[in-house]
Amino acid sequence: QVQLVESGGGLVQAGGSLTLSCAASGRTFGNRAMGWFRQAPGKDREFVAAITWRGTTYFADAGKGRFTISREYDKDTVYLQMNSLKPEDTSVYYCSVGLAGVSGPGLNSGRLYDYWGQGTQVTVSS
């Protein structure tokens, strides 16, 4: 019923840019936070960025100054613009919808999210 579909991943050289998108369907999530996580082989899922229903944004240190998160409330879509990509950014990127009522820095925890997409692969070559 609820579906999150990520798109925009691909292969890019170091220093390049990609913009990921995630569209939610099945219900509306305009009153919830949305976030991006990533997981590289052999590593745990890692917080990347989040945006609350008010538009407040949070970023992991790895993406600060390089990544931008935004959303379109009427489309239940969230975006992640990634600039100055590094090989260590190589991961499968997942979007997610936060639990009802959750906001603030605690959004860096995957346990505070309800729904997850299937992920989109981002590969950054050196």
Side-chain angles (χ1 to χ4, degrees):
Q1 181 178 348
V2 174
Q3 186 176 23
L4 301 177
V5 180
E6 301 98 335
S7 62
L11 175 64
V12 63
Q13 291 188 355
S17 299
L18 284 174
T19 299
L20 309 181
S21 64
C22 172
S25 62
R27 60 181 296 179
T28 60
F29 296 105
N31 62 340
R32 296 194 188 189
M34 300 186 73
W36 288 94
F37 291 75
R38 67 188 185 185
Q39 187 169 21
K43 300 181 66 177
D44 293 333
R45 188 165 296 186
E46 174 188 15
F47 171 74
V48 177
I51 182 168
T52 72
W53 66 276
R54 297 181 182 271
T56 303
T57 59
Y58 301 91
F59 297 91
D61 289 342
K64 288 182 179 178
R66 301 187 298 122
F67 295 176
T68 301
I69 187 170
S70 60
R71 68 191 297 174
E72 297 185 66
Y73 293 93
D74 58 338
K75 298 180 179 179
D76 281 327
T77 300
V78 63
Y79 303 91
L80 182 68
Q81 181 178 328
M82 302 184 291
N83 300 320
S84 301
L85 284 163
K86 306 174 182 179
E88 49 264 45
D89 294 319
T90 296
S91 288
V92 176
Y93 284 72
Y94 302 88
C95 69
S96 188
V97 177
L99 292 165
V102 173
S103 64
L107 287 168
N108 65 355
S109 172
R111 296 182 178 180
L112 299 183
Y113 293 81
D114 258 349
Y115 303 102
W116 298 83
Q118 295 298 307
T120 184
Q121 176 70 47
V122 172
T123 302
V124 184
S125 62
S126 60

